Amino acid sequence: ILVPSIHGYVKEARIAANDANARSIYSELSAKVAMGTEANTPGTGSIKKAGNVTCTYIVTNKVLTSITCVSDPAGELKLTTFTP
């Protein structure tokens, strides 16, 4: 009885950590774009990784236009997209 309960808590903790990593990536990219220190080739994506989270983002005309994140293993991330 105890093992399934602990497993649920461990998974929720991993999801919370991955969500925090995704928010951290988003905050870092937003700040860099605002300061003009982050850019990529128009129409292409760039990748940023933190912990078990990988985010793909696009900066167009000095604006963060898209950011999508995935976790490894899949399904352990609640925050998958951000609206800049």
Side-chain angles (χ1 to χ4, degrees):
I1 296 173
L2 193 58
V3 173
S5 296
I6 291 173
H7 179 69
Y9 288 119
V10 171
K11 183 175 181 179
E12 287 300 315
R14 285 194 309 262
I15 290 170
N18 289 339
D19 285 349
N21 285 333
R23 276 191 299 273
S24 176
I25 291 171
Y26 175 73
S27 296
E28 177 186 350
L29 289 173
S30 294
K32 285 183 173 183
V33 169
M35 292 185 293
T37 60
E38 184 69 37
N40 62 5
T41 305
T44 65
S46 295
I47 297 173
K48 185 87 174 154
K49 186 169 173 69
N52 294 330
V53 176
T54 303
C55 296
T56 304
Y57 64 97
I58 297 175
V59 176
T60 306
N61 297 324
K62 299 181 181 179
V63 175
L64 182 61
T65 57
S66 170
I67 181 167
T68 304
C69 302
V70 295
S71 65
D72 182 26
E76 292 193 354
L77 181 67
K78 290 181 181 175
L79 299 173
T80 57
T81 58
F82 293 87
T83 304

